[in-house]
Amino acid sequence: MSFFAEVPLAPPDVIFHLTASYQADTDAKKVNLGVGAYRDDNGKPWVLPVVQKAKQVLLNDPNLNHEYLTIRGLPSFTEAAAKLILGPDSPAIAENRAVSAQSISGTGAVYLGALFLSRFYSKSKTVLISNPTWANHKAIFEMVGLDVQQYNYYDRETNGLDFEGMISSLEAAPEGAIVLLHACAHNPTGVDPTMDQWKKIAEVIKAKKQFTFFDCAYQGFASGNLDRDAAAVRYFVDQGFELFVAQSFAKNFGLYGERCGALHVVSQNSEINNNVKSQLEKLNRATISNPPAFGARIVSLVLNDPTLFQEWVDDFQIMANRIKEMRQKLFHYLTEELKTPGTWNHIVDQIGMFSFTGLTAPQVKVLKEKYHVYLTDNGRISMAGLNTGNVEYFARAVDDVVRNVHQKSQI
């Protein structure tokens, strides 16, 4: 009898299974709209020119070695990363109320924060995540033993934000609950609150004495503007919130496989800050011992060099602008060329890599089987998978299923 005889078979990961199905498809017109990574207009992965330049600088450095980083990571990286998300003039940094720990990309940052809260946060064991949300959010918080509940977020009728439902959910949630918020380019919907709505969200969270946990994977990549994409986080800090920010450099640096990220903690005072720092080190030591160096060195080099920094801004603006162009082209084909039934403003109103199209599961099924277009069953597409060579093909496929496949399904 095996020691593992009672281990059940886990279902395949939705996104990776979708990619595998796409790769196995031999149709010449196939389109992959499930991948969560940037693609250029030829449908190929893109290494940012500034990243190529930084790699060469590192490779030519005779003093470069492969020794361990400190437990909290590369200091020049974590300090620059904190200034990027919190702002160079952040009161939390100036008053020594912010501490950072390097992580295994944004996923690792969320996990490190979740693990910390499971051990040291005593007000509530309830975590509120958006409905819908990135699948890993639920899995991570449940893995550390926290109770995961959802707050209303997406309005299927308008393909926009259910703001009233969100506020009602937060007001009805337990006092002291942990609230997970997407700082920008909400995954998977691409729907973000306005700044006025963020202010109301902050007001409710403060009144309910809830704890704020931001996840930021798309700063710069979302709108093309670093400050705009960090505005919600900075507003909460300015309002005196203690909070966590999970930060990823996978998307905006194209460093997907290097797993470069950080967890930033803003606390009430420097004494608490030191205690938090000691526990972050202890948790990092027990889980990853020391974070990986290569991606952090690339990001550190770029963020701390004014010339390279500006080159990086130019690079992520190329990515952000191509995504915006694909949104405009898709919107144009659906509304002007094809006059597809329905309202399609959400395609251009949403932001970032992902878009909730409003397509139903039966319509998605036909897209896969008839048109060899691969997307998740809830209608989410990666705008990066569209390019000038396939956007019209996709639009015509959408037009067909909208006109001819009428079954409804829920998210």
Side-chain angles (χ1 to χ4, degrees), residues 193-298:
T194 65
M195 201 61 224
D196 284 341
Q197 289 171 334
W198 275 120
K199 291 177 181 179
K200 177 61 177 178
I201 292 166
E203 180 183 315
V204 172
I205 290 176
K206 180 173 284 189
K208 294 287 294 188
K209 298 182 174 61
Q210 294 163 342
F211 182 79
T212 308
F213 193 145
F214 278 105
D215 188 3
C216 186
Y218 298 94
Q219 188 183 1
F221 192 0
S223 69
N225 185 294
L226 291 166
D227 295 330
R228 187 181 307 157
D229 294 344
V233 174
R234 295 176 186 178
Y235 177 78
F236 274 66
V237 173
D238 288 343
Q239 295 301 302
F241 281 77
E242 292 186 294
L243 52 81
F244 281 6
V245 185
Q247 182 184 34
S248 169
F249 291 95
K251 305 295 194 298
N252 55 12
F253 266 81
L255 292 171
Y256 302 98
E258 302 306 331
R259 315 310 295 140
C260 182
L263 176 70
H264 307 287
V265 182
V266 175
S267 54
Q268 196 173 68
N269 57 54
S270 59
E271 182 180 352
I272 293 173
N273 185 56
N274 287 332
N275 294 345
V276 170
K277 182 191 302 183
S278 70
Q279 294 297 342
L280 287 176
E281 290 178 347
K282 187 175 180 180
L283 294 175
N284 240 12
R285 176 65 170 150
T287 51
I288 63 172
S289 190
N290 308 81
F294 188 62
R297 284 172 172 157
I298 290 173

Side-chain angles (χ1 to χ4, degrees), residues 362-382:
Q363 291 169 338
V364 171
K365 185 174 185 289
V366 175
L367 285 174
K368 291 177 184 176
E369 295 176 352
K370 181 177 179 179
Y371 290 99
H372 306 269
V373 175
Y374 292 85
L375 63 157
T376 55
D377 290 344
N378 58 14
R380 187 202 81 164
I381 63 172
S382 171

Side-chain angles (χ1 to χ4, degrees), residues 154-160 408:
Y154 181 71
D155 186 336
R156 185 88 188 187
E157 295 300 316
T158 65
N159 293 303
K408 292 185 177 181

Side-chain angles (χ1 to χ4, degrees), residues 340-359:
T340 306
T343 303
W344 298 98
N345 298 71
H346 58 279
I347 297 296
V348 288
D349 290 341
Q350 294 166 3
I351 189 173
M353 182 181 292
F354 299 112
S355 176
F356 250 38
T357 59
L359 296 170

Side-chain angles (χ1 to χ4, degrees), residues 83-368:
K83 290 178 182 178
L84 188 75
I85 187 66
L86 300 179
D89 301 321
S90 172
I93 295 175
E95 297 162 10
N96 193 30
R97 296 188 291 107
V99 60
S100 307
Q102 189 179 328
S103 61
I104 309 298
S105 203
T107 305
V110 174
Y111 177 76
L112 179 60
L115 188 60
F116 184 100
L117 292 171
S118 72
R119 303 293 178 87
F120 302 111
Y121 186 75
S122 59
K123 288 188 177 182
S124 174
K125 295 301 180 184
T126 297
V127 180
L128 305 174
I129 63 174
S130 65
N131 179 25
T133 193
W134 178 51
N136 262 8
H137 282 151
K138 184 174 189 293
I140 290 169
F141 285 106
E142 287 183 340
M143 187 178 294
V144 299
L146 296 174
D147 174 42
V148 177
Q149 298 179 16
Q150 292 186 316
Y151 57 83
N152 294 326
Y153 191 83
Y154 181 71
D155 186 336
R156 185 88 188 187
E157 295 300 316
T158 65
N159 293 303
L161 178 65
D162 178 12
F163 182 63
E164 291 184 4
M166 181 181 182
I167 293 300
S168 295
S169 294
L170 295 178
E171 289 177 334
E175 184 171 290
I178 300 157
V179 182
L180 193 289
L181 300 169
H182 300 235
C184 62
H186 181 274
N187 183 0
T189 68
V191 175
D192 285 356
T194 65
M195 201 61 224
D196 284 341
Q197 289 171 334
W198 275 120
K199 291 177 181 179
K200 177 61 177 178
I201 292 166
E203 180 183 315
V204 172
I205 290 176
K206 180 173 284 189
K208 294 287 294 188
K209 298 182 174 61
Q210 294 163 342
F211 182 79
T212 308
F213 193 145
F214 278 105
D215 188 3
C216 186
Y218 298 94
Q219 188 183 1
F221 192 0
S223 69
N225 185 294
L226 291 166
D227 295 330
R228 187 181 307 157
D229 294 344
V233 174
R234 295 176 186 178
Y235 177 78
F236 274 66
V237 173
D238 288 343
Q239 295 301 302
F241 281 77
E242 292 186 294
L243 52 81
F244 281 6
V245 185
Q247 182 184 34
S248 169
F249 291 95
K251 305 295 194 298
N252 55 12
F253 266 81
L255 292 171
Y256 302 98
E258 302 306 331
R259 315 310 295 140
C260 182
L263 176 70
H264 307 287
V265 182
V266 175
S267 54
Q268 196 173 68
N269 57 54
S270 59
E271 182 180 352
I272 293 173
N273 185 56
N274 287 332
N275 294 345
V276 170
K277 182 191 302 183
S278 70
Q279 294 297 342
L280 287 176
E281 290 178 347
K282 187 175 180 180
L283 294 175
N284 240 12
R285 176 65 170 150
T287 51
I288 63 172
S289 190
N290 308 81
F294 188 62
R297 284 172 172 157
I298 290 173
V299 174
S300 174
L301 188 60
V302 173
L303 295 187
N304 288 294
D305 182 292
T307 301
L308 292 179
F309 184 91
Q310 184 55 52
E311 290 182 28
W312 173 57
V313 170
D314 295 340
D315 286 349
F316 70 63
Q317 286 179 343
I318 288 173
M319 295 191 290
N321 289 336
R322 199 189 82 73
I323 295 294
K324 292 175 186 177
E325 181 187 0
M326 288 304 104
R327 288 185 179 277
Q328 290 291 342
K329 284 186 178 295
L330 179 58
F331 178 73
H332 167 77
Y333 281 117
L334 292 173
T335 59
E336 298 183 28
E337 295 285 332
L338 301 170
K339 301 191 186 307
T340 306
T343 303
W344 298 98
N345 298 71
H346 58 279
I347 297 296
V348 288
D349 290 341
Q350 294 166 3
I351 189 173
M353 182 181 292
F354 299 112
S355 176
F356 250 38
T357 59
L359 296 170
T360 64
Q363 291 169 338
V364 171
K365 185 174 185 289
V366 175
L367 285 174
K368 291 177 184 176

Side-chain angles (χ1 to χ4, degrees), residues 21-40:
S21 299
Y22 166 82
Q23 291 171 342
D25 192 331
T26 58
D27 191 274
K29 292 184 177 180
K30 66 180 181 179
V31 180
N32 184 6
L33 300 182
V35 63
Y38 180 78
R39 295 290 182 263
D40 64 18

